[in-house]
Amino acid sequence: MMGSPQLTYPWILIVVFARQLCLPLPAPLILIAAGAIAVEGRLDIAPIVIASVLGCLAGDGVWFWLGRRWGSRVVRIVCKLSSDPRRSSKRAHKIFERWGLRMLAIAKFIPVMDGITPPLAGAEGATVTQFVLFDGLGALLWTTMYVLIGVIFHDQLDVAVTAAQHFGKLVGLFIGLPLLLYIGWRGALIVRMMSYLRTHRLSAAALDKKMRSGERLAIIDLLEFEDIDGDMAGIPGAARIDPARMRATPKVDLPDDLSVVVYCSSRKQIVSARVVVAMRRKGARRVWILDGGLKAWRDAGFPVSHDLYTTQELAKNLGIHIPEPVSAHRRRHGRHHEEHAEQVTEQLPG
């Protein structure tokens, strides 16, 4: 990486490919800079476009293959990167159902849809030829837009051109180091979650015993967050809570005699561990993870129910005050605009 001081066609392909794999590389900026350089005659536009389109097809092709291989599970994994996985998944399926494979041609211009559409196309049974045709068209339109911006405004892009000419050093300094720090931080978080999993598990039988004894319990259900297919029944007395709201809520003071039990659908309990770590940062201390998740509860023969509490009902029953998230108004305002944009998208000609 450090040995290539100039922006080249292979670099363009690699950066665009990495961007389509959801790595934090500034592919649009590189394409704009490449367009500006092309005006000066040091690169040709046609190879720039070809390299970018091939990078898009390669990156999207990986997601497409994963979608064909593992179906909707891959789509749910991609959606979990968003703040509201279930809503993102539903929105993607709804729009794809209306537009079909044509969505691939415009998905790169729509946040979130760019990452969800390729695996969704694979999960829906699209052929390789259909995928390459529509995704290639979308990649061509997306690439052309950024390259043209560089061509049109090349006189104002001296800084971008200079940066692109020394791209190898910039990647190492401004992208490589933050990426390594991010990977280290995520690794430390995973280690912390695994450590918590080992020491703060509660068996299904132990949870049932606590419930029967009348102990004050706040049971948190994460099934809606996980976007589970099929039966959404949960443990009686649990509250189905959105972790996105929990992350935006200021510190919550829980009563000293209140225990919190979190469960998800997976036996591996990674989702539960993520939520528990977030709750502990908010001040919660007596927090437990249901060992084996909901499946272990069902396998032990304990009852489930569709009649679960809301967050407000659970807080009222237990006498807990949950402060309004600081950014609640902004999120509601943003969601209003997002829903309006979704309605406009759905009204486009079929």
Side-chain angles (χ1 to χ4, degrees), residues 164-286:
Q165 288 176 320
H166 300 281
F167 178 61
K169 295 180 181 179
L170 287 173
V171 167
L173 182 60
F174 295 108
I175 297 175
L177 181 59
L179 184 59
L180 288 175
L181 292 175
Y182 174 77
I183 292 173
W185 174 74
R186 293 295 296 178
L189 182 61
I190 291 173
V191 170
R192 185 180 177 186
M193 289 192 305
M194 293 301 100
S195 175
Y196 197 91
L197 273 172
R198 287 194 296 270
T199 58
H200 290 76
R201 292 180 178 179
L202 189 69
S203 69
L207 174 58
D208 179 67
K209 183 177 180 180
K210 285 178 175 291
M211 293 170 66
R212 293 178 183 277
S213 69
E215 180 178 336
R216 296 188 71 197
L217 288 173
I219 306 174
I220 297 178
D221 176 295
L222 301 175
L223 268 63
E224 187 166 354
F225 173 72
E226 295 181 279
D227 187 24
I228 303 300
D229 290 330
D231 187 11
M232 287 283 287
I235 297 176
R240 193 154 282 163
I241 292 178
D242 178 11
R245 182 180 186 276
M246 189 183 304
R247 288 195 296 269
T249 301
K251 181 178 179 180
V252 179
D253 292 322
L254 298 177
D256 293 336
D257 62 342
L258 179 67
S259 296
V260 179
V261 180
V262 178
Y263 72 87
C264 57
S265 63
S266 171
R267 282 188 176 276
K268 296 181 180 180
Q269 304 148 334
I270 299 299
V271 174
S272 293
R274 286 171 53 192
V275 172
V276 165
V277 170
M279 291 184 66
R280 288 180 63 81
R281 286 201 297 265
K282 301 296 182 182
R285 289 294 173 261
R286 299 181 60 181

Side-chain angles (χ1 to χ4, degrees), residues 30-45:
I30 297 305
L31 291 175
I32 292 173
I37 292 175
V39 175
E40 299 183 359
R42 283 175 281 173
L43 288 176
D44 294 323
I45 290 181

Side-chain angles (χ1 to χ4, degrees), residues 245 247-251 323-332:
R245 182 180 186 276
R247 288 195 296 269
T249 301
K251 181 178 179 180
E324 181 74 6
V326 175
S327 59
H329 175 73
R330 291 197 296 270
R331 289 205 314 277
R332 286 196 298 268

Side-chain angles (χ1 to χ4, degrees), residues 4-13 15 27 29-52 143 146-147 150-151 154 160-167:
S4 177
Q6 301 291 326
L7 178 62
T8 63
Y9 305 123
W11 268 123
I12 293 172
L13 188 152
V15 171
L29 175 61
I30 297 305
L31 291 175
I32 292 173
I37 292 175
V39 175
E40 299 183 359
R42 283 175 281 173
L43 288 176
D44 294 323
I45 290 181
I48 292 173
V49 173
I50 292 173
S52 177
T143 298
Y146 285 112
V147 172
V151 170
H154 68 278
V161 172
T162 301
Q165 288 176 320
H166 300 281
F167 178 61

